[in-house]
Structures are given as C-alpha cells and as structure tokens.
Amino acid sequence: MKGLDYNVALAVFFPWYVLAEIPSNIMMKRTSPSLWLCIIMVAWGVCMTLMGLVTNFASLLVVRMALGLAEGGLFPGVTFYITLWYRRHECGFRMAIFFSAATLAGAFGGLLARYISEMKGVGGRPGWAWIFILEGLVTIVVAFFAKWVINDSPATAKFLTPEERTEVVARLKADRTSLADEYDTKYLFDALKDWKIWVHMFITIGMLIYYCFGLWLKLTALDRHLHSSIFDLSVLPTIVKNMGYSNNASQLMSVPPYVLGCFATISGGYLADRSMKRGPYMIFFCVIAIIGFILLISTSNPHVQYAGTFLAVSGIYPNVPMGVAWNGNNIGGTTKRAVGIAMHVGFGNLGGVISGFAYRKTDAPRYFSGHGLLIATVTMSCCLSIFMTIYLARENARREEAMCAQGLTLDKYTEEMKVSERTKGDNATFFRYTI
C-alpha cells in the first residue's frame, strides 16, 4: 500500500460498523442474545478469515466494509446484554472487565501477531495473512459453542435455581422501577429524540478517536514494510525505539502502559459502581488523559513521552466503558436503552474514521496533528461531562422538590403509581439519574 491507502482501508470499516449497531441491538431485542450474538460472531469470523485471502486493495476494502457490518453489533450488544443481568450500579464494573479485553489485546496482540507472522510461506500465504485467517477460524469455532453457553436472561437462566431466578428478576425490577420492557417503535423514536443521549455520544467520540486508533492498528500488518513489527505506525513503539531499544524490546516496553490502562479501567469501573457516581470519575480520567497528551506533544524527550503514554492510556481507556455505563444507567426502559446504547457506541466509533487520518506516516515521530486533535476532543469530553454532572444533579433535586410538594417520597410510590408512568421511561417522576 502507498500514500493514504492504509488510512482509507482503516477508515472504511467504521461507517458500516456504525450503521449496523442500532439495527443489531433491535434484532437482539426481537430475537435472543444467544442466537443473535452467535450469528454476529460467525459473520465476522468469516469476514476476518477472508481478510487473509485478499490479493489487492479493492478486495481489501470490500472485506473491511463487510467486517464492519458484521462486527458492528458486538460491543453495543454485549453492553446491552450486561444491563439485562445487573442493576444499574453493578453494570459499570462488568462493562469495564469486558472492555479491558481490548486493552489487553493492545498489550499482547502485537507480540502474538509477530510470532504468527513467522508462518510466512505456509500454504503459499504471507505471514500477515495467517494472523487474520487464524483469528477468523477461532472466532467461528467459539461461536458454535457460545450458542449453548449464553443464557438469554435471568428468567430463563439454566445455571440458576427457580428461587434464584425469582430473586434476580425481583431485584432487577426494583432497580428498573417497573418501566416498560416490551418492544415498541415508540421507544426507538424516544431514544433518537433524547438530547441527553446525544450529549453522551459527543462525550464518547472525543475519546474513541484514540481508542479506535489503538484498537484497529493491527491492520498495519498488511503493509509489506511492517512484517517485522506490526505496530510500527503506533505512537508508543516509536517512542520506545527513540529511547534506544530494538524492535523486539520496543514491543515488550509497549506492554506496561496498556497493562496500567487495563488496571485503571477495571478499578475505575469498580469505584464508580461502589460510589454510585460516574460523572466525577469521567472528569478525573479526562484530565489525566489531557495531561498525558500534553506531555506527548510538548517535548521530544522520549522518556517524558513514554511517561505521557501511561497517562494517556490510563485516562482514555477507563472512560470508554464508564461512559457507556453512565448513559445506560440514565435511560429508562429496555428498548430505549438498547437503542440508546447502540447510538452511543455507534456515534463514538465514528471516531475511528477520524483516527484513520489523524495519525499519518508523514507526521512521525512527533504526531503533532494527532496529539493536538486529541487534546481538543478530550477537552470537549471533559467539559460536556462537567455539564451533564451538574445538570443531572439539578434535575434529580428538581424532581425531589416536585415530589415533596405533593407530599410524596420514593418509598410512598405504589406499584400502581409506577405502572401508570411505565411508558415514560427516564422522564417518569420517580426515575432518578446517576450523577
């Protein structure tokens, strides 16, 4: 590939990825998680395998677009699935564990791909092709087992006793405050018209520009010049090599920032769940990330830049699952929540289109345009997080005052009163937002 071919190949994935997300979550709601998630896995496994068989740039673009369409429903689908099992202030930690898998992939994926690429010549295929072929085949195999492993809901879970099912369903109903669970297109339009969801979408896109860039860098294996080091276009190994380390050593030195990012993601999710707050943590991690990118852009000293990558990764990565959890916590009703989460993740992943052109070969090794863009977008995310934290706190206080004026408290709300407002979602008078 030459010129902007790599950037184009990276970017074409994301529009199709985004387009798939809302329809995919609706399909999962209309069918079942066990069936739909397995269909998604088989589809993207086939597409990933085909990526190892491409012979020209045009076929690569076609397969990349198909992969985006197939894989688009995974993250919003799994995120929505988690909300079906756990109470609102139990979801963040679980989502953090799920999203941290991508962090670990960033840490060790390059090392694994390096060894797989040694299969060069096997079956007449280049080494990079086997990275995609093996990943695709493993995904297909796992998908066939997943159909029988995934339980659709607590009410039908095979690993729970009848008493446990009743208890889990009851605690979820109490947490969700008896809001509507059935499918209706009304709730789809309610999500599309909810300005709060749109604010969360802009919060997320500011961070996913960086997140998507790191997550999809494995495509660089297709460049014939990169067969020896799959992440040579990544900022981090470039910094490490400038510190005097070899290619192999730079791969190993690239692991610690991602490990710290994984630890920060899980720790942040846990603490946010325990405190039942997310906004303050979002703001804190945004500030950490901004400091990290300032260190990256302001100096050519590789040691200072290396320290900056620790802050950048540990600031960005925790806010991806936490932002989804915060948005999901504040959407009332199952269908509206499914659509709202898909909107959130989908719009955020448009950052992948931007990231494909933010970090270019011609900008190496300082990447001024990429770092500058991220300082701006993460600052935007921080400001919007501050706004939402203040707004949601005031709205909760307003609802409390309105309820007190009628001589009511949340404890005095009867089931009949809640049922009368079940279609209002998070606009119901008894719904309280997570700050």
Side-chain angles (χ1 to χ4, degrees):
M1 291 189 286
K2 58 184 179 180
L4 291 176
D5 285 352
Y6 160 74
N7 306 80
V8 172
L10 184 68
V12 296
F13 171 91
F14 290 98
W16 298 94
Y17 188 95
V18 171
L19 286 173
E21 299 196 352
I22 293 178
S24 178
N25 263 18
I26 292 175
M27 281 300 299
M28 194 165 86
K29 172 68 178 174
R30 298 297 301 272
T31 56
S32 66
S34 60
L35 174 62
W36 189 248
L37 289 175
C38 289
I39 291 174
I40 289 175
M41 291 176 67
V42 171
W44 103 58
V46 171
C47 292
M48 185 63 73
T49 303
L50 293 176
M51 280 190 64
L53 304 177
V54 297
T55 56
N56 54 60
F57 185 61
S59 60
L60 170 63
L61 293 182
V62 171
V63 177
R64 282 285 294 171
M65 289 187 282
L67 179 64
L69 193 63
E71 194 173 341
L74 176 67
F75 271 31
V78 172
T79 302
F80 172 59
Y81 179 69
I82 290 173
T83 68
L84 299 178
W85 286 83
Y86 297 99
R87 294 183 293 184
R88 289 194 296 166
H89 300 298
E90 297 172 341
C91 290
F93 178 59
R94 277 77 183 179
M95 291 179 188
I97 292 175
F98 170 66
F99 276 82
S100 65
T103 312
L104 292 177
F108 300 104
L111 293 173
L112 178 62
R114 183 179 181 83
Y115 290 111
I116 294 177
S117 66
E118 296 299 322
M119 295 177 64
K120 178 181 179 181
V122 176
R125 307 301 303 170
W128 61 261
W130 283 106
I131 298 172
F132 298 108
I133 292 171
L134 291 179
E135 183 175 337
L137 293 177
V138 170
T139 301
I140 294 172
V141 171
V142 172
F144 283 111
F145 288 101
K147 177 65 178 71
W148 289 273
V149 174
I150 297 173
N151 288 270
D152 293 325
S153 70
T156 59
K158 299 175 183 177
F159 64 91
L160 296 177
T161 65
E163 294 77 16
E164 290 172 335
R165 292 175 198 158
T166 301
E167 180 182 351
V168 173
V169 170
R171 69 198 293 269
L172 288 173
K173 183 178 180 180
D175 181 63
R176 302 297 178 186
T177 56
S178 303
L179 296 174
D181 282 334
E182 71 275 6
Y183 174 80
D184 193 306
T185 53
K186 168 188 180 301
Y187 305 122
L188 178 130
F189 291 108
D190 285 346
L192 294 173
K193 294 184 293 185
D194 191 336
W195 67 268
K196 298 186 297 299
I197 296 176
W198 285 90
V199 172
H200 278 287
M201 288 158 63
F202 277 97
I203 291 174
T204 300
I205 197 172
M207 290 168 290
L208 276 178
I209 291 174
Y210 176 83
Y211 183 81
C212 292
F213 177 71
L215 189 58
W216 302 113
L217 269 172
K218 61 186 176 181
L219 185 63
T220 57
L222 290 175
D223 192 318
R224 63 186 177 86
H225 298 296
L226 302 180
H227 67 276
S228 64
S229 180
I230 194 168
F231 285 120
D232 273 354
L233 280 183
S234 177
V235 178
L236 181 54
T238 301
I239 293 171
V240 176
K241 283 193 291 183
N242 288 339
M243 293 168 63
Y245 292 94
S246 64
N247 276 345
N248 288 337
S250 69
Q251 292 293 337
L252 292 174
M253 291 289 287
S254 300
V255 172
Y258 287 108
V259 173
L260 178 62
C262 181
F263 175 78
T265 299
I266 295 175
S267 299
Y270 176 78
L271 292 173
D273 276 359
R274 288 292 300 270
S275 64
M276 297 186 180
K277 295 181 184 295
R278 308 208 186 276
Y281 292 92
M282 293 281 293
I283 297 166
F284 170 77
F285 284 117
C286 280
V287 172
I288 294 297
I290 291 169
I291 294 173
F293 286 116
I294 289 174
L295 292 178
L296 284 167
I297 200 173
S298 62
T299 180
S300 58
N301 185 321
H303 296 86
V304 176
Q305 289 182 324
Y306 188 55
T309 61
F310 279 87
L311 296 177
V313 173
S314 59
I316 291 290
Y317 276 67
N319 272 356
V320 177
M322 193 177 302
V324 178
W326 194 17
N327 188 31
N329 285 173
N330 292 330
I331 302 176
T334 305
T335 302
K336 183 182 177 183
R337 187 167 64 253
V339 175
I341 288 174
M343 290 169 60
H344 181 117
V345 178
F347 188 78
N349 275 300
L350 285 176
V353 179
I354 302 172
S355 71
F357 297 93
Y359 287 88
R360 301 166 299 182
K361 288 182 182 179
T362 54
D363 297 328
R366 296 294 300 277
Y367 299 100
F368 285 113
S369 61
H371 295 330
L373 174 64
L374 281 160
I375 290 173
T377 56
V378 176
T379 300
M380 175 191 72
S381 298
C382 185
C383 292
L384 290 175
S385 296
I386 293 171
F387 166 75
M388 286 303 296
T389 300
I390 295 172
Y391 169 79
L392 294 174
R394 289 182 175 179
E395 179 60 17
N396 281 348
R398 186 194 66 78
R399 293 186 183 187
E400 287 290 344
E401 291 176 4
M403 186 178 290
C404 290
Q406 301 177 44
L408 294 173
T409 64
L410 286 176
D411 294 334
K412 292 181 180 179
Y413 257 79
T414 64
E415 188 64 25
E416 291 74 18
M417 295 169 69
K418 291 180 179 180
V419 169
S420 68
E421 294 188 69
R422 66 187 302 273
T423 61
K424 292 183 178 180
D426 46 271
N427 291 317
T429 57
F430 54 82
F431 188 91
R432 294 295 179 269
Y433 292 108
T434 298
I435 300 172

